[in-house]
Amino acid sequence: MKPSAAIITFLPIILLALLLWRFAAEPWPPLKIAGFVVMLVSGILLTIARLQLGNSFSITPQATALVTHGIYAKIRNPVYVFSAILLIGVAFFLKDLKFLWVLIVLLPIQVQRARKESEVLEAHFGDTYRRYKSSTWF
């Protein structure tokens, strides 16, 4: 695995573990529990998506391989989707809605990145990518 891919894959896990360690002793009302569950599930799915992407991960859009298995069989951009859901979980867990402002800023950036990646993949893989795109969400 490329170093950049390893960082993007394992840094969220480390940060979530530190977050849990820091706030574990505080009371756990229902909103915090819901946030924890959302963080846990989205963090697991984010990690799985990153691992399934393998060395196709890149900071800039590149067409090294068309990943269509696993989570990618249903969602074209699961890393973006589960990252956004993870932020919602963090906001609930910390009972701090300013994290939702981060999400509001992040969403248009992620949508733009997804569009650019789609353009690169369509230019490189053509009809194969168009068929894949038509059978998946975001």
Side-chain angles (χ1 to χ4, degrees), residues 24-125:
E26 294 180 6
W28 283 59
L31 186 62
K32 186 172 185 168
I33 293 168
F36 172 75
V37 170
V38 169
M39 285 187 332
L40 181 65
V41 172
S42 61
I44 290 168
L45 291 171
L46 173 62
T47 302
I48 291 169
R50 273 293 308 114
L51 292 172
Q52 289 174 347
L53 191 57
N55 281 330
S56 293
F57 169 80
S58 63
I59 301 297
T60 59
Q62 298 175 15
T64 55
L66 184 58
V67 179
T68 61
H69 64 281
I71 294 172
Y72 289 86
K74 300 291 181 193
I75 306 172
R76 286 187 308 282
N77 298 287
V79 170
Y80 298 154
V81 171
F82 296 125
S83 295
I85 295 170
L86 185 76
L87 276 175
I88 294 168
V90 169
F92 289 170
F93 182 80
L94 295 177
K95 297 174 284 180
D96 190 346
L97 298 182
K98 70 181 162 206
F99 284 97
L100 297 180
W101 286 108
V102 173
L103 182 62
I104 289 170
V105 171
L106 186 65
L107 279 178
I109 294 168
Q110 298 295 52
V111 168
Q112 183 59 29
R113 286 179 54 114
R115 285 183 182 148
K116 183 62 179 164
E117 290 170 4
S118 182
E119 290 172 8
V120 170
L121 292 169
E122 188 169 348
H124 190 267
F125 295 107

Side-chain angles (χ1 to χ4, degrees), residues 14-37:
I14 294 166
L15 292 176
L16 286 176
L18 290 172
L19 184 70
L20 288 172
W21 178 71
R22 164 65 178 87
F23 293 99
E26 294 180 6
W28 283 59
L31 186 62
K32 186 172 185 168
I33 293 168
F36 172 75
V37 170

Side-chain angles (χ1 to χ4, degrees), residues 1-12:
M1 182 180 283
K2 297 185 287 188
S4 58
I7 290 169
I8 296 297
T9 301
F10 298 111
L11 184 61

